Amino acid sequence: MVTYSAAQRSSQAPFAPQLTALLRCLPVILISIVALAPVAIILVSSFRLSLPGQPTKWGFDGWIAAFSSPSIWDAIANTFILAAMRVPISVVIGCLLAWLLIRTNLRWRRHIEFLFWIAFFLPTLPMAMAWALLLDPHSGWVNLALMKLLGLEEAPFNIFSYLGITWVHMTATTVPVMVILLGPAFRGLDPAMEESARMSGASRLESLRLITLPLVTPALMVAAVAGFIRSLEAFEVELYLGVPAGIRVYSTKIQELAVWEPPRYAPSMAMSVPFVALLFLLAILYQRFLATRSFTTVSGKGSASPPIDLGAWRWPATILCGAVAALAVLVPTATLLFGSFMEVFGVTRADGSFLFTLSHWRAVLHDSLFASSVVNTLEIGLGTAVLAVLIYSTIAYIILRSRLGGRKFLGLVTWLPWAFPGILLSLSFLWLFLGTPVLNLLYGSLASLVLAMLFKEMPVGVNLMRSGLLQIAVELEEAGKMSGADWWQTYRMVLLPLLAPTAITVATLAFISCVKDISTMILLSTPDTRPLSLLVLDYTSNGSIENGAVVGVISAALAVGVALLGRRIGSRFARS
Amino acid sequence: MRRARTAIAAALGLLLLAGPAEAGDAAAFQALVKAAQQEGSVVLDGPPLDKVREAVTRQFAKTYGITVTYISSGGPKSAPRIRAERAAERYLLDVFVTGADTAIFTVVPSGWVDPIEPALIDPLATDPARWRDGHLWFADPGHEMLRLTAYVTPVVAVNSKLVKPGEVGRFTDLLDPKWRGKIIAKDPTVTGTSGSLISYLYLTFGGDYVAKLYKEQKPFISRNSRQASQALANGNYPIWLGADMHETLHFRQLGYPVAFVFPSDGPRIVSGGWGFVGLMNKAPHPNAAKLLVNWLAGPEGAATYAKAAEFVSLRTDIDQDWAEDFTKLKPGETYLDTYDYKFITEQRDAAFQRVQKLLGL
């Protein structure tokens, strides 16, 4: 046997260990570069005072302009007030709803859960408009009815207020999203732990508080952080309901600067940078929290178990959950559907009569743009959904289960897409695609939109996958390897099936985001690649709100179809 | 005194932007048509209006057999994309139809267009006798973009059941305490038509007036024309300052008691909508692009565009009976043209910035 001394080994291949280490880190490096590129563009652009195509000029004027505006600090305060109002409440309500829907014997729980998926899908701005029709302090139908019924002199509700904005967000997005994000976590729990708690004498509430909630903490934290960050960048509802009440928020200020003529990119980019810092901080805290605990709940043991019996609370809980779902879904969808057949959306004739018409439906269905938009949407959605599962699960695996260098940094970097308001992300992607060799070949294609959406959905997708992986015992993977399977076989035959409920959620969310998204795709889309969401925007921004309502109804139907399909596939995996 | 200054500025501006009397070249135009037809298609970025998209693409294809690829993002949304494309040396757009702000602050200074005047060779397009005041109209002193439309736009609409005739006969009547909390107004922080209105009020009546109007009168601020027009029609707010003409007319057609008011203490305002057309340089289909601008400037294209967009054309030889009479410019009347180059570049922006500071925005 020939042996070599350390010096001999070193002299034979002096760079081999470094090269090997570098190659092992390559996936982390590549993914980090992709995630950091838009961030770098935005950061650098905050110091660039000239516009693209002009001689370059650098300076701090953008930062000074951004933070010396008198109204900016009011906008920042409003942003945090609104986030603080709705996120904690939504997390609590969402958690309770998810537990009731997934873990108990609530009546019609699958149908009610499904309604939350539909609520998540519905376009936000039309829902704000629908609620304004009902709760406008002067002409809202609910207000008028209550004033007549109760003999009130003033309307009891005012949608143009902090509470109004919070209400619309909670019913339209935040609570449904919490239910969707927390559902897979509750579904993946090993019921044996709850059974053990009950056998030891714990009540249902004690079992929920001491066993269930701690185990779903990763998903809860993802949901809370997601809700908080998204509320910081929200602006459609704030624009519609806040501006009349003098409530301006951070994201509306950023957007105003970006679409100024000529555009003021430097200050708008400068305003985004603190978001990045805040997001990084939240991500670091989240990672540290996860590192100190174990959340394994899916093990090699069987997990079939009857749902928790609510006893006398069954029907009251069903009515409560059903009422929340109805508020989130039935009110806005009924308004959208009704409005799509009205001569003027939400408006009667002066004599109070309605004029219903099919003309808007005919106009949309005969519009040559409509068919191409549907096809584009399906292609973008399917492409994003499939790639989302593959890419996000791989990233999540690298972060949690690999020993690759830089994986913790990768975990932080995956949160970054949320730090930017959509219009700035869209702008940075536009510059990235046009200014980068190879990528510029994709400009104007559906592939560019798929890549942009994959980037945008990375925070939710990767962290959902992480939550799912955290619940799977490492021993299952080790058992696969001990049986002779290589990494890919173990991943495909052991992990992916166990991750299936999470994967389906991620795929469905990714698809529906593509159907809904406007701000990320708006600058990348061309007439050939325009999806349905941008068609809605085109219609509503040119005053054809009725046509926008028609496309909104069709988009909702598409999402319902996708959600049904996702549910069917998910049920099959749950049973197996 | 202030009103006189703005009227004089408007008149000077009109003189500045008047084009010389040029004759077209019929033979060159025919050659252009043939060359354009060989190219077969043209890319137009135009207003986000379905009727315009349908009418222009259909009629141009019918007349010349050339396909129009229509991008309808609207100027402020198109400009970032076009800028990025051109910085990366991707020249994908042939013709750009846009509003004043994008034209004057973005398109022209960025050097995206070549002067349009030499490209206008259709005798029907260039005959000055067929244009208002006997000349072609341009966006800028360099004649780089052609102006297609100009119409009087009312800025005050009232619910006629709640506001008696003459009760709001002057802009200064809006400061009457009885209208406190009862006016719905455009967002004063937004440029474009809102910016023009706020600047007009500042330049005509001064900073005190604007401060009293937006602070003491506590108007309901709306960026959504549908929301505002509905509030007016329902009587929630009897007065709408910055009224959207098309939305208000829509409600009038539904039988609601809404009417326009033209206050007597300020000149009437002229706007242009998406009324500027530019010929992009390094266009992918240069001949089809030239043909399209000639068509838009000519009688058929101008009529098609004006009727679809519901903006009164600056041509005088086309049927515009579809337009409301108050939108047409009348000889001898004094107007403030908010699409005038000098007004926009020298007065409006400065006034707008001062108003932002005044209102603490």
Side-chain angles (χ1 to χ4, degrees):
Chain A
M1 187 173 91
V2 178
T3 56
Y4 295 92
S5 67
Q8 284 172 313
R9 284 196 300 270
S10 171
S11 70
Q12 280 168 355
F15 301 111
Q18 292 91 331
L19 188 60
T20 306
L22 190 66
L23 284 172
R24 282 163 61 85
C25 293
L26 200 58
V28 173
I29 293 170
L30 284 175
I31 296 167
S32 298
I33 288 173
V34 168
L36 286 170
V39 177
I41 287 173
I42 288 173
L43 188 60
V44 168
S45 301
S46 70
F47 296 101
R48 182 178 172 167
L49 304 180
S50 52
L51 295 173
Q54 292 176 348
T56 309
K57 189 178 162 200
W58 304 99
F60 291 96
D61 292 9
W63 283 83
I64 295 168
F67 293 103
S68 62
S69 155
S71 55
I72 188 64
W73 300 105
D74 282 340
I76 291 173
N78 286 335
T79 304
F80 280 95
I81 289 170
L82 286 168
M85 278 173 75
R86 72 168 173 264
V87 174
I89 302 171
S90 299
V91 169
V92 169
I93 296 175
C95 191
L96 179 64
L97 287 171
W99 179 73
L100 285 169
L101 290 168
I102 308 295
R103 306 296 296 180
T104 72
N105 65 343
L106 197 83
R107 283 289 275 154
W108 306 310
R109 56 186 180 277
R110 286 171 60 79
H111 301 296
I112 296 174
E113 185 192 357
F114 189 60
L115 282 178
F116 283 108
W117 279 88
I118 299 176
F120 167 67
F121 171 66
L122 294 174
T124 316
L125 182 56
M127 284 199 284
M129 292 165 65
W131 281 111
L133 276 180
L134 296 170
L135 301 178
D136 183 301
H138 300 285
S139 61
W141 297 342
V142 168
N143 277 325
L144 291 176
L146 285 174
M147 284 166 75
K148 197 170 177 179
L149 202 67
L150 304 173
L152 301 171
E153 282 188 6
E154 275 190 12
F157 302 112
N158 180 5
I159 196 71
F160 301 106
S161 61
Y162 285 100
L163 279 178
I165 295 170
T166 303
W167 172 256
V168 170
H169 270 296
M170 280 178 58
T171 52
T173 54
T174 327
V175 168
V177 160
M178 295 296 170
V179 172
I180 289 166
L181 290 179
L182 296 172
F186 279 106
R187 202 165 266 124
L189 284 179
D190 184 348
M193 299 191 188
E194 287 165 318
E195 283 170 7
S196 305
R198 283 197 297 278
M199 279 166 55
S200 306
S203 66
R204 277 193 288 272
L205 212 55
E206 280 170 334
S207 173
L208 172 67
R209 189 169 58 88
L210 298 170
I211 303 294
T212 313
L213 281 180
L215 287 174
V216 298
T217 299
L220 263 175
M221 289 194 70
V222 170
V225 171
F228 184 71
I229 291 295
R230 293 309 278 249
S231 67
L232 293 182
E233 62 143 13
F235 85 100
E236 287 171 317
V237 174
E238 284 73 6
L239 201 64
Y240 189 75
L241 300 179
V243 166
I247 302 170
R248 284 180 161 78
V249 296
Y250 203 57
S251 51
T252 55
K253 302 293 290 185
I254 291 176
Q255 193 245 3
E256 277 169 18
L257 291 167
V259 299
W260 208 267
E261 290 281 7
R264 302 175 65 190
Y265 292 142
S268 63
M269 303 290 183
M271 287 172 72
S272 285
V273 174
F275 269 4
V276 178
L278 178 64
L279 185 67
F280 245 77
L281 183 63
L282 288 170
I284 290 170
L285 291 173
Y286 174 66
Q287 298 238 118
R288 285 205 176 158
F289 177 80
L290 288 185
T292 59
R293 290 160 173 79
S294 167
F295 299 95
T296 303
T297 63
V298 179
S299 64
K301 299 174 241 164
S303 61
S305 165
I308 298 167
D309 185 8
L310 289 170
W313 287 100
R314 192 183 188 207
W315 276 106
T318 300
I319 291 167
L320 174 70
C321 292
V324 174
L327 269 179
V329 176
L330 295 182
V331 167
T333 46
T335 309
L336 253 187
L337 186 62
F338 198 71
S340 70
F341 291 103
M342 291 178 78
E343 188 181 2
V344 180
F345 184 81
V347 176
T348 61
R349 290 188 162 226
D351 59 7
S353 62
F354 285 91
L355 181 65
F356 291 106
T357 175
L358 289 174
S359 62
H360 309 306
W361 281 85
R362 267 192 233 109
V364 168
L365 294 174
H366 285 127
D367 190 342
S368 56
L369 289 181
F370 173 69
S372 62
S373 297
V374 171
V375 170
N376 289 337
T377 303
L378 287 172
E379 290 182 14
I380 296 167
L382 281 171
T384 307
V386 168
L387 289 174
V389 170
L390 294 173
I391 293 173
Y392 299 159
S393 59
T394 308
I395 294 175
Y397 187 88
I398 290 173
I399 294 168
L400 281 178
R401 298 287 173 90
S402 76
R403 290 185 193 157
L404 296 178
R407 62 190 181 282
K408 283 187 181 166
F409 179 72
L410 185 61
L412 294 176
V413 151
T414 56
W415 288 96
L416 282 174
W418 270 358
F420 308 106
I423 187 77
L424 293 189
L425 202 58
S426 196
L427 198 57
S428 67
F429 268 118
L430 179 68
W431 293 342
L432 192 64
F433 274 110
L434 282 170
T436 311
V438 177
L439 276 185
N440 60 11
L441 297 173
L442 298 178
Y443 178 70
S445 70
L446 289 175
S448 65
L449 299 175
V450 169
L451 288 176
M453 290 308 299
L454 280 172
F455 180 84
K456 190 199 168 201
E457 295 304 313
M458 193 159 56
V460 169
V462 168
N463 288 289
L464 267 179
M465 287 293 191
R466 281 175 74 167
S467 307
L469 265 177
L470 276 171
Q471 293 179 326
I472 299 173
V474 177
E475 294 79 28
L476 293 174
E477 208 180 326
E478 287 170 354
K481 287 174 191 163
M482 279 167 57
S483 306
D486 61 25
W487 177 83
W488 174 239
Q489 284 172 317
T490 307
Y491 186 76
R492 191 166 49 88
M493 294 163 73
V494 176
L495 284 179
L496 273 186
L498 289 170
L499 271 178
T502 305
I504 287 160
T505 303
V506 167
T508 309
L509 280 175
F511 186 98
I512 291 177
S513 286
C514 293
V515 180
K516 263 176 85 159
D517 184 85
I518 290 174
S519 52
T520 307
M521 294 198 278
I522 189 169
L523 293 177
L524 286 173
S525 170
T526 65
D528 292 331
T529 60
R530 182 194 281 111
L532 279 174
S533 55
L534 293 185
L535 189 60
V536 172
L537 179 69
D538 281 352
Y539 281 141
T540 48
S541 62
N542 74 27
S544 302
I545 296 175
E546 298 74 23
N547 287 6
V550 170
V551 180
V553 170
I554 294 170
S555 301
L558 178 62
V560 167
V562 167
L564 271 172
L565 184 64
R567 193 164 85 148
R568 199 179 186 106
I569 299 172
S571 306
R572 199 170 293 165
F573 277 103
R575 277 196 294 272
S576 64
Chain B
M1 184 62 193
R2 210 176 254 115
R3 269 186 285 147
R5 276 208 298 268
T6 48
I8 291 167
L12 283 173
L14 290 174
L15 283 173
L16 190 68
L17 295 172
E22 297 254 5
D25 183 335
F29 182 67
Q30 289 310 315
L32 175 65
V33 171
K34 285 203 172 91
Q37 285 170 333
Q38 281 186 340
E39 285 173 358
S41 65
V42 65
V43 182
L44 164 66
D45 192 312
L49 300 170
D50 294 331
K51 285 184 187 169
V52 170
R53 170 170 56 87
E54 283 159 12
V56 166
T57 54
R58 185 187 63 241
Q59 195 59 44
F60 191 70
K62 188 176 172 192
T63 302
Y64 293 111
I66 297 173
T67 307
V68 178
T69 300
Y70 193 99
I71 302 169
S72 58
S73 309
K77 293 192 188 92
S78 291
R81 191 190 73 248
I82 297 168
R83 179 177 289 107
E85 286 172 357
R86 293 179 77 93
E89 296 188 4
R90 298 281 290 262
Y91 303 101
L92 305 174
L93 185 61
D94 290 308
V95 176
F96 198 2
V97 174
T98 187
D101 282 29
T102 306
I104 290 172
F105 290 118
T106 301
V107 178
V108 169
S110 300
W112 294 351
V113 294
D114 288 330
I116 199 170
E117 216 174 352
L120 295 172
I121 56 175
D122 179 3
L124 291 176
T126 56
D127 182 359
R130 296 168 187 260
W131 290 81
R132 175 165 298 284
D133 296 346
H135 58 78
L136 273 70
W137 294 62
F138 296 93
D140 59 295
H143 295 186
E144 296 193 34
M145 294 186 80
L146 179 72
R147 183 170 174 182
L148 298 173
T149 56
Y151 55 90
V152 177
T153 182
V155 294
V156 180
V158 298
N159 184 304
S160 49
K161 276 199 172 160
L162 301 172
V163 178
K164 299 190 201 70
E167 219 175 348
V168 178
R170 301 165 63 85
F171 279 106
T172 45
D173 291 336
L174 296 175
L175 297 184
D176 191 323
K178 73 178 175 193
W179 301 125
R180 183 166 299 146
K182 295 203 171 133
I183 301 172
I184 189 165
K186 268 201 156 104
D187 190 342
T189 66
V190 178
T191 55
T193 51
S194 297
S196 291
L197 171 65
I198 202 84
S199 304
Y200 167 88
L201 293 173
Y202 179 85
L203 290 166
T204 309
F205 301 105
D208 281 346
Y209 173 85
V210 172
K212 281 185 182 149
L213 183 60
Y214 279 91
K215 284 184 165 175
E216 291 176 19
Q217 292 297 79
K218 297 188 187 335
F220 179 87
I221 303 296
S222 174
R223 288 192 188 188
N224 187 305
S225 292
R226 176 61 64 88
Q227 177 192 46
S229 53
Q230 194 167 348
L232 179 78
N234 285 335
N236 306 132
Y237 293 90
I239 301 171
W240 184 9
L241 176 64
D244 180 296
M245 184 174 66
H246 294 106
E247 287 287 342
T248 309
L249 287 172
H250 213 159
F251 277 87
R252 196 178 70 180
Q253 283 159 9
L254 291 172
Y256 284 91
V258 292
F260 293 114
V261 169
F262 292 92
S264 60
D265 55 349
R268 294 196 181 193
I269 292 176
V270 169
S271 181
W274 283 280
F276 291 126
V277 60
L279 190 58
M280 305 295 281
N281 52 37
K282 299 181 188 173
H285 311 96
N287 294 301
K290 276 189 197 151
L291 182 62
L292 181 58
V293 300
N294 274 275
W295 181 76
L296 285 169
E300 185 188 79
T304 303
Y305 182 76
K307 190 172 178 190
E310 295 179 30
F311 301 146
V312 175
S313 173
L314 278 162
R315 287 189 70 99
T316 54
D317 61 341
I318 58 176
D319 171 30
Q320 301 202 82
D321 289 342
W322 49 265
E324 293 277 338
D325 191 59
F326 65 75
T327 62
K328 299 172 184 173
L329 279 80
K330 309 276 190 305
E333 281 269 0
T334 304
Y335 301 101
L336 174 67
D337 187 0
T338 59
Y339 271 44
D340 169 65
Y341 184 83
K342 269 179 90 70
F343 170 75
I344 289 174
T345 56
E346 293 176 17
Q347 295 177 287
R348 193 197 72 178
D349 232 43
F352 182 77
Q353 299 301 334
R354 274 182 238 130
V355 167
Q356 303 306 301
K357 285 201 171 94
L358 197 67
L359 300 181
L361 298 169

mmCIF file of all heavy atoms in Angstrom, chain B residues 78-98:
data_model
loop_
_atom_site.group_PDB
_atom_site.id
_atom_site.type_symbol
_atom_site.label_atom_id
_atom_site.label_comp_id
_atom_site.label_asym_id
_atom_site.label_seq_id
_atom_site.Cartn_x
_atom_site.Cartn_y
_atom_site.Cartn_z
ATOM 1 N N SER B 78 -45.242 52.978 -20.182
ATOM 2 C CA SER B 78 -44.425 52.593 -21.326
ATOM 3 C C SER B 78 -43.017 53.147 -21.221
ATOM 4 O O SER B 78 -42.058 52.482 -21.618
ATOM 5 C CB SER B 78 -45.036 53.119 -22.621
ATOM 6 O OG SER B 78 -46.235 52.461 -22.912
ATOM 7 N N ALA B 79 -42.896 54.356 -20.721
ATOM 8 C CA ALA B 79 -41.602 55.046 -20.756
ATOM 9 C C ALA B 79 -40.468 54.260 -20.087
ATOM 10 O O ALA B 79 -39.385 54.151 -20.660
ATOM 11 C CB ALA B 79 -41.726 56.443 -20.158
ATOM 12 N N PRO B 80 -40.647 53.701 -18.887
ATOM 13 C CA PRO B 80 -39.530 52.949 -18.294
ATOM 14 C C PRO B 80 -39.102 51.777 -19.163
ATOM 15 O O PRO B 80 -37.905 51.503 -19.294
ATOM 16 C CB PRO B 80 -40.099 52.430 -16.964
ATOM 17 C CG PRO B 80 -41.266 53.276 -16.675
ATOM 18 C CD PRO B 80 -41.810 53.720 -17.985
ATOM 19 N N ARG B 81 -40.078 51.116 -19.788
ATOM 20 C CA ARG B 81 -39.742 49.965 -20.603
ATOM 21 C C ARG B 81 -38.986 50.409 -21.844
ATOM 22 O O ARG B 81 -37.949 49.833 -22.200
ATOM 23 C CB ARG B 81 -41.020 49.222 -21.005
ATOM 24 C CG ARG B 81 -40.782 47.868 -21.629
ATOM 25 C CD ARG B 81 -42.033 47.272 -22.236
ATOM 26 N NE ARG B 81 -42.382 47.965 -23.450
ATOM 27 C CZ ARG B 81 -43.452 48.733 -23.600
ATOM 28 N NH1 ARG B 81 -44.306 48.889 -22.618
ATOM 29 N NH2 ARG B 81 -43.686 49.349 -24.734
ATOM 30 N N ILE B 82 -39.474 51.446 -22.481
ATOM 31 C CA ILE B 82 -38.817 51.930 -23.703
ATOM 32 C C ILE B 82 -37.410 52.418 -23.382
ATOM 33 O O ILE B 82 -36.453 52.139 -24.120
ATOM 34 C CB ILE B 82 -39.635 53.054 -24.349
ATOM 35 C CG1 ILE B 82 -40.996 52.523 -24.788
ATOM 36 C CG2 ILE B 82 -38.906 53.668 -25.532
ATOM 37 C CD1 ILE B 82 -41.986 53.605 -25.178
ATOM 38 N N ARG B 83 -37.265 53.128 -22.293
ATOM 39 C CA ARG B 83 -35.944 53.647 -21.902
ATOM 40 C C ARG B 83 -34.964 52.497 -21.709
ATOM 41 O O ARG B 83 -33.827 52.532 -22.194
ATOM 42 C CB ARG B 83 -36.059 54.467 -20.625
ATOM 43 C CG ARG B 83 -34.720 55.017 -20.148
ATOM 44 C CD ARG B 83 -34.851 55.892 -18.911
ATOM 45 N NE ARG B 83 -35.484 57.165 -19.215
ATOM 46 C CZ ARG B 83 -36.716 57.484 -18.873
ATOM 47 N NH1 ARG B 83 -37.455 56.651 -18.182
ATOM 48 N NH2 ARG B 83 -37.220 58.655 -19.201
ATOM 49 N N ALA B 84 -35.410 51.469 -20.995
ATOM 50 C CA ALA B 84 -34.515 50.334 -20.724
ATOM 51 C C ALA B 84 -34.174 49.603 -22.017
ATOM 52 O O ALA B 84 -33.029 49.188 -22.236
ATOM 53 C CB ALA B 84 -35.173 49.384 -19.730
ATOM 54 N N GLU B 85 -35.171 49.456 -22.883
ATOM 55 C CA GLU B 85 -34.907 48.762 -24.156
ATOM 56 C C GLU B 85 -33.873 49.533 -24.970
ATOM 57 O O GLU B 85 -32.924 48.955 -25.489
ATOM 58 C CB GLU B 85 -36.207 48.632 -24.957
ATOM 59 C CG GLU B 85 -37.172 47.581 -24.428
ATOM 60 C CD GLU B 85 -38.523 47.610 -25.122
ATOM 61 O OE1 GLU B 85 -38.746 48.493 -25.987
ATOM 62 O OE2 GLU B 85 -39.362 46.763 -24.795
ATOM 63 N N ARG B 86 -34.050 50.825 -25.073
ATOM 64 C CA ARG B 86 -33.156 51.616 -25.908
ATOM 65 C C ARG B 86 -31.758 51.699 -25.304
ATOM 66 O O ARG B 86 -30.768 51.716 -26.020
ATOM 67 C CB ARG B 86 -33.757 53.000 -26.152
ATOM 68 C CG ARG B 86 -35.024 52.947 -26.996
ATOM 69 C CD ARG B 86 -35.620 54.318 -27.217
ATOM 70 N NE ARG B 86 -34.884 55.056 -28.232
ATOM 71 C CZ ARG B 86 -35.207 55.063 -29.521
ATOM 72 N NH1 ARG B 86 -36.240 54.367 -29.971
ATOM 73 N NH2 ARG B 86 -34.485 55.769 -30.376
ATOM 74 N N ALA B 87 -31.691 51.725 -23.971
ATOM 75 C CA ALA B 87 -30.367 51.722 -23.332
ATOM 76 C C ALA B 87 -29.629 50.426 -23.649
ATOM 77 O O ALA B 87 -28.398 50.400 -23.724
ATOM 78 C CB ALA B 87 -30.522 51.887 -21.818
ATOM 79 N N ALA B 88 -30.390 49.352 -23.857
ATOM 80 C CA ALA B 88 -29.795 48.060 -24.226
ATOM 81 C C ALA B 88 -29.743 47.884 -25.736
ATOM 82 O O ALA B 88 -29.534 46.784 -26.237
ATOM 83 C CB ALA B 88 -30.616 46.919 -23.611
ATOM 84 N N GLU B 89 -29.991 49.000 -26.463
ATOM 85 C CA GLU B 89 -29.952 49.005 -27.930
ATOM 86 C C GLU B 89 -30.940 48.035 -28.545
ATOM 87 O O GLU B 89 -30.659 47.390 -29.541
ATOM 88 C CB GLU B 89 -28.525 48.740 -28.425
ATOM 89 C CG GLU B 89 -27.585 49.854 -27.993
ATOM 90 C CD GLU B 89 -26.216 49.754 -28.601
ATOM 91 O OE1 GLU B 89 -25.976 48.865 -29.425
ATOM 92 O OE2 GLU B 89 -25.365 50.595 -28.229
ATOM 93 N N ARG B 90 -32.104 47.916 -27.909
ATOM 94 C CA ARG B 90 -33.202 47.155 -28.486
ATOM 95 C C ARG B 90 -34.240 48.183 -28.932
ATOM 96 O O ARG B 90 -34.834 48.884 -28.115
ATOM 97 C CB ARG B 90 -33.821 46.222 -27.432
ATOM 98 C CG ARG B 90 -32.879 45.172 -26.871
ATOM 99 C CD ARG B 90 -32.708 44.004 -27.787
ATOM 100 N NE ARG B 90 -33.895 43.197 -27.873
ATOM 101 C CZ ARG B 90 -34.096 42.068 -27.183
ATOM 102 N NH1 ARG B 90 -33.203 41.640 -26.331
ATOM 103 N NH2 ARG B 90 -35.202 41.376 -27.358
ATOM 104 N N TYR B 91 -34.428 48.270 -30.229
ATOM 105 C CA TYR B 91 -35.350 49.277 -30.761
ATOM 106 C C TYR B 91 -36.571 48.542 -31.298
ATOM 107 O O TYR B 91 -36.558 47.987 -32.386
ATOM 108 C CB TYR B 91 -34.643 50.098 -31.852
ATOM 109 C CG TYR B 91 -33.381 50.754 -31.324
ATOM 110 C CD1 TYR B 91 -32.130 50.213 -31.583
ATOM 111 C CD2 TYR B 91 -33.457 51.890 -30.506
ATOM 112 C CE1 TYR B 91 -30.987 50.793 -31.063
ATOM 113 C CE2 TYR B 91 -32.314 52.471 -29.994
ATOM 114 C CZ TYR B 91 -31.079 51.920 -30.275
ATOM 115 O OH TYR B 91 -29.940 52.493 -29.749
ATOM 116 N N LEU B 92 -37.626 48.548 -30.517
ATOM 117 C CA LEU B 92 -38.765 47.688 -30.806
ATOM 118 C C LEU B 92 -40.030 48.465 -31.154
ATOM 119 O O LEU B 92 -41.043 47.871 -31.494
ATOM 120 C CB LEU B 92 -39.054 46.784 -29.590
ATOM 121 C CG LEU B 92 -37.870 45.937 -29.111
ATOM 122 C CD1 LEU B 92 -38.228 45.194 -27.836
ATOM 123 C CD2 LEU B 92 -37.450 44.941 -30.179
ATOM 124 N N LEU B 93 -39.965 49.771 -31.031
ATOM 125 C CA LEU B 93 -41.185 50.569 -31.187
ATOM 126 C C LEU B 93 -41.060 51.483 -32.395
ATOM 127 O O LEU B 93 -40.002 52.055 -32.646
ATOM 128 C CB LEU B 93 -41.405 51.409 -29.921
ATOM 129 C CG LEU B 93 -42.692 52.229 -29.846
ATOM 130 C CD1 LEU B 93 -43.911 51.338 -29.891
ATOM 131 C CD2 LEU B 93 -42.691 53.063 -28.564
ATOM 132 N N ASP B 94 -42.169 51.617 -33.130
ATOM 133 C CA ASP B 94 -42.170 52.476 -34.315
ATOM 134 C C ASP B 94 -42.777 53.849 -34.047
ATOM 135 O O ASP B 94 -42.217 54.868 -34.417
ATOM 136 C CB ASP B 94 -42.980 51.798 -35.438
ATOM 137 C CG ASP B 94 -42.281 50.574 -35.996
ATOM 138 O OD1 ASP B 94 -41.102 50.694 -36.361
ATOM 139 O OD2 ASP B 94 -42.921 49.503 -36.076
ATOM 140 N N VAL B 95 -43.948 53.846 -33.453
ATOM 141 C CA VAL B 95 -44.690 55.100 -33.272
ATOM 142 C C VAL B 95 -45.195 55.161 -31.839
ATOM 143 O O VAL B 95 -45.640 54.153 -31.289
ATOM 144 C CB VAL B 95 -45.891 55.165 -34.258
ATOM 145 C CG1 VAL B 95 -46.727 56.412 -34.016
ATOM 146 C CG2 VAL B 95 -45.392 55.137 -35.705
ATOM 147 N N PHE B 96 -45.127 56.349 -31.272
ATOM 148 C CA PHE B 96 -45.541 56.542 -29.881
ATOM 149 C C PHE B 96 -46.596 57.641 -29.840
ATOM 150 O O PHE B 96 -46.341 58.763 -30.272
ATOM 151 C CB PHE B 96 -44.322 56.940 -29.059
ATOM 152 C CG PHE B 96 -44.452 56.776 -27.573
ATOM 153 C CD1 PHE B 96 -45.589 56.252 -26.980
ATOM 154 C CD2 PHE B 96 -43.399 57.131 -26.742
ATOM 155 C CE1 PHE B 96 -45.691 56.079 -25.609
ATOM 156 C CE2 PHE B 96 -43.493 56.960 -25.356
ATOM 157 C CZ PHE B 96 -44.631 56.437 -24.800
ATOM 158 N N VAL B 97 -47.783 57.299 -29.327
ATOM 159 C CA VAL B 97 -48.822 58.304 -29.114
ATOM 160 C C VAL B 97 -48.990 58.431 -27.607
ATOM 161 O O VAL B 97 -49.244 57.435 -26.928
ATOM 162 C CB VAL B 97 -50.161 57.879 -29.762
ATOM 163 C CG1 VAL B 97 -51.265 58.879 -29.410
ATOM 164 C CG2 VAL B 97 -50.012 57.793 -31.271
ATOM 165 N N THR B 98 -48.826 59.626 -27.108
ATOM 166 C CA THR B 98 -48.809 59.778 -25.655
ATOM 167 C C THR B 98 -49.324 61.154 -25.249
ATOM 168 O O THR B 98 -49.698 61.968 -26.098
ATOM 169 C CB THR B 98 -47.375 59.549 -25.139
ATOM 170 O OG1 THR B 98 -47.397 59.540 -23.702
ATOM 171 C CG2 THR B 98 -46.426 60.625 -25.614
#
